[in-house]
Amino acid sequence: MSTTVVNTGTEGKTWGGGNEPLKASYGKMMMWFFIVSDALTFSGFLAAYGFSRFKFIESWPIADEVFTHVPFLHGQELPMIYVAFMTFILIMSSVTMVLAVDAGHKMNKTKVTWYMFLTIIGGLIFVGSQAWEWATFIKGDYGAVQTKGGNILQFVDTDGHRVALGDFVVAEHKDRTAHERKNGLWFVDEGTLPTYTVDEVIKGLESHENVLVRTQIINEEGEKTVLSRAESLKQIKENGKAVVEGANLYVNEYGSPLFADFFFFITGFHGFHVFSGVVINIIIFFNVILGTYEKRKSYEMVEKVGLYWHFVDLVWVFVFTFFYLV
Amino acid sequence: MGHEHKLEILRGLIKFKSNTQKIWGVLILLSIVTAVEVVLGIYKPEALMTQVLSMKLLNWIFIILTIVKAYYITWDFMHMRDETKALRRMVVWTAVFLICYLVFILLQEGGYIEGVYSSGFVKRDF
């Protein structure tokens, strides 16, 4: 097509093409726009969390009482410490990422390689920590009784310290076994049965004078309401329906099941972002080692991946605030 | 492409000599803010429990500190400080406007439903 006209006569003019008014490459700009849309997705989730929380403002679980565990420190109540550690790990891996980008600008392959490596390690520690958080949350620690209306009744002693079900309830012999597909209807399944039944909890409560029931309702001091001894027995006997140990998408021993649902969904979605970030970082890491960006004479790819990685950190800052602090 | 970085933070109060130094500086700043949040979260000082605009003062402090952290992550780690004004506004103003809008609507609605519950028209506490 030698007759094709290639000159438009507008070269060098504003609309002549080849102009970059934003002084950013196509890839970088698209990464920014993706980040905006992803930020809106996350805000949608967090706003929905806020909606449910405002809806149940008088009975929402207190995060400080839920996330109190630190690995290797059993039985100690250390709220926030582990999440703070996770936050620091993620910020730290953001720092190594931005150092990798900086080294990339200086075309320093060795430094980029090392900083990318450290970033990946940080990401893996974070994902591992999150898996541990999930496991602890699913397992639960004290156990509770759910009422007919879906409220959660927890147990405390007369000093207000939490009491685990195992401390005052005795499991008796049960004829009821968990229904499995292999010994009943093959298309019906049921989860693990709780260790205790409601009747056993009632017996345990009757024989332990110092155990009281604590409801979900938050009083004026910002603490959960503790019932009197008579009220406690009445509540459990009249309304107790199921024993709850730990948390899943249906029940949650810490309070509203919605809290568990949002926890799994939002931290899960964020954890998935971290996981994909780690995978992308590993791909870029190998590209760096293979010298792809040396040949390209630009480490801009590291910068683009860096934007995504920082965004994951940015989201965590908000998740941290709204799930653990506020 | 020249990679010039603006090396001052806090409106020129602190000026760094190199980009690497600025990164470490921002890390220290973010760590301090996080540490303050954690300490406040653990001790929950009585004085900060007063209600301001229908939320505890402590919670407002947490939210403001979070936005401060978000600002430094975006501006320095994501190099928003070095982008053109147009790109910065396209990204930041769009997100901020839409998020504020969404949060306002959902929280307003959540508060309203709470009011319906607590004023006794719907019984759910049994």
Side-chain angles (χ1 to χ4, degrees):
Chain A
M1 297 286 278
S2 56
T3 51
T4 308
V5 180
V6 285
N7 289 336
T8 55
T10 54
E11 285 81 20
K13 292 195 177 134
T14 310
W15 300 102
N19 247 335
E20 278 191 1
L22 298 178
K23 298 192 180 57
S25 71
Y26 177 80
K28 213 164 120 181
M29 227 158 69
M30 289 307 127
M31 182 53 94
W32 268 117
F33 294 156
F34 163 72
I35 285 172
V36 171
S37 71
D38 215 20
L40 292 174
T41 310
F42 270 108
S43 345
F45 293 156
L46 283 173
Y49 171 81
F51 168 79
S52 294
R53 189 168 169 169
F54 269 46
K55 190 169 153 187
F56 297 117
I57 196 88
E58 293 304 315
S59 60
W60 202 249
I62 299 167
D64 275 5
E65 295 177 356
V66 181
F67 307 102
T68 58
H69 299 274
V70 174
F72 312 115
L73 296 175
H74 296 288
Q76 296 187 43
E77 298 254 315
L78 299 165
M80 309 262 309
I81 301 294
Y82 196 54
V83 219
F85 163 78
M86 280 165 72
T87 309
F88 185 70
I89 287 290
L90 208 57
I91 291 178
M92 208 51 225
S93 86
S94 245
V95 168
T96 52
M97 185 80 231
V98 78
L99 287 171
V101 174
D102 189 61
H105 287 164
K106 292 170 188 146
M107 298 297 285
N108 187 336
K109 185 179 160 184
T110 333
K111 267 195 171 173
V112 178
T113 314
W114 275 108
Y115 284 134
M116 284 301 290
F117 179 72
L118 291 174
T119 309
I120 292 165
I121 298 296
L124 288 176
I125 296 175
F126 183 85
V127 178
S129 304
Q130 211 162 42
W132 186 86
E133 279 260 304
W134 270 47
T136 319
F137 184 61
I138 291 168
K139 190 166 149 272
D141 36 11
Y142 293 105
V145 169
Q146 194 175 34
T147 68
K148 291 170 194 158
N151 288 339
I152 285 291
L153 303 174
Q154 295 166 332
F155 299 94
V156 289
D157 61 18
T158 37
D159 301 328
H161 297 296
R162 296 288 303 279
V163 177
L165 284 180
D167 292 343
F168 70 100
V169 184
V170 183
E172 292 163 4
H173 170 75
K174 291 182 201 61
D175 293 320
R176 171 88 162 79
T177 51
H179 172 81
E180 288 169 48
R181 279 164 192 264
K182 66 177 185 207
N183 58 16
L185 296 174
W186 59 270
F187 53 88
V188 180
D189 220 352
E190 85 175 349
T192 339
L193 289 178
T195 328
Y196 312 103
T197 63
V198 177
D199 288 334
E200 287 162 8
V201 174
I202 294 174
K203 271 185 203 164
L205 190 62
E206 278 172 339
S207 58
H208 287 76
E209 289 291 329
N210 60 335
V211 179
L212 299 170
V213 162
R214 196 176 83 151
T215 66
Q216 295 187 69
I217 309 300
I218 296 172
N219 61 21
E220 274 159 20
E221 287 89 57
E223 287 160 6
K224 302 275 180 184
T225 316
V226 178
L227 300 178
S228 68
R229 177 74 188 155
E231 261 304 299
S232 301
L233 281 164
K234 187 170 161 257
Q235 268 288 337
I236 292 282
K237 279 181 186 164
E238 275 177 16
N239 297 329
K241 189 177 163 237
V243 174
V244 181
E245 288 165 313
N248 54 43
L249 291 173
Y250 306 103
V251 288
N252 169 15
E253 68 156 67
Y254 301 102
S256 170
L258 272 174
F259 179 82
D261 298 344
F262 277 113
F263 176 77
F264 288 128
F265 199 70
I266 295 177
T267 63
F269 198 65
H270 177 263
F272 182 68
H273 272 75
V274 180
F275 173 74
S276 21
V278 169
V279 171
I280 298 167
N281 275 346
I282 289 173
I283 295 170
I284 300 302
F285 174 68
F286 280 113
N287 276 344
V288 171
I289 291 180
L290 293 173
T292 312
Y293 307 123
E294 286 292 315
K295 280 177 220 149
R296 216 178 268 180
K297 291 189 178 56
S298 158
Y299 277 88
E300 205 196 52
M301 206 63 200
V302 178
E303 202 174 328
K304 284 180 237 172
V305 177
L307 281 180
Y308 177 71
W309 191 251
H310 298 313
F311 170 69
V312 169
D313 184 22
L314 185 69
V315 170
W316 179 254
V317 165
F318 283 91
V319 174
F320 174 66
T321 301
F322 292 114
F323 254 97
Y324 297 92
L325 286 177
V326 170
Chain B
M1 271 195 286
H3 297 287
E4 284 122 39
H5 296 287
K6 292 181 184 144
L7 295 175
E8 49 198 46
I9 62 169
L10 297 169
R11 302 214 157 264
L13 193 68
I14 304 173
K15 204 167 173 12
F16 295 103
K17 286 195 193 71
S18 71
N19 192 36
T20 329
Q21 218 180 49
K22 185 181 84 170
I23 295 166
W24 290 111
V26 172
L27 169 70
I28 292 168
L29 193 95
L30 291 178
S31 304
I32 292 171
V33 173
T34 310
V36 169
E37 282 182 336
V38 171
V39 169
L40 284 178
I42 291 174
Y43 292 105
K44 296 195 171 159
E46 235 5 86
L48 300 177
M49 289 307 193
T50 45
Q51 295 277 325
V52 178
L53 293 172
S54 75
M55 206 160 52
K56 281 188 205 119
L57 180 59
L58 183 67
N59 287 355
W60 282 113
I61 293 176
F62 284 147
I63 290 169
I64 290 163
L65 289 179
T66 304
I67 292 167
V68 168
K69 279 205 279 187
Y71 171 84
Y72 282 104
I73 290 172
T74 320
W75 255 247
D76 291 309
F77 288 176
M78 298 169 99
H79 300 305
M80 210 33 143
R81 213 184 278 278
D82 308 324
E83 302 293 352
T84 55
K85 214 176 242 176
L87 176 61
R88 196 160 66 221
R89 287 177 179 176
M90 246 184 250
V91 170
V92 179
W93 287 9
T94 311
V96 167
F97 168 71
L98 289 173
I99 291 168
C100 290
Y101 179 58
L102 180 74
V103 166
F104 167 73
I105 286 179
L106 281 184
L107 294 190
Q108 190 67 24
E109 182 71 8
Y112 166 71
I113 295 175
E114 197 272 333
V116 172
Y117 280 150
S118 60
S119 54
F121 294 116
V122 179
K123 183 166 176 57
R124 58 170 189 91
D125 184 24
F126 54 91

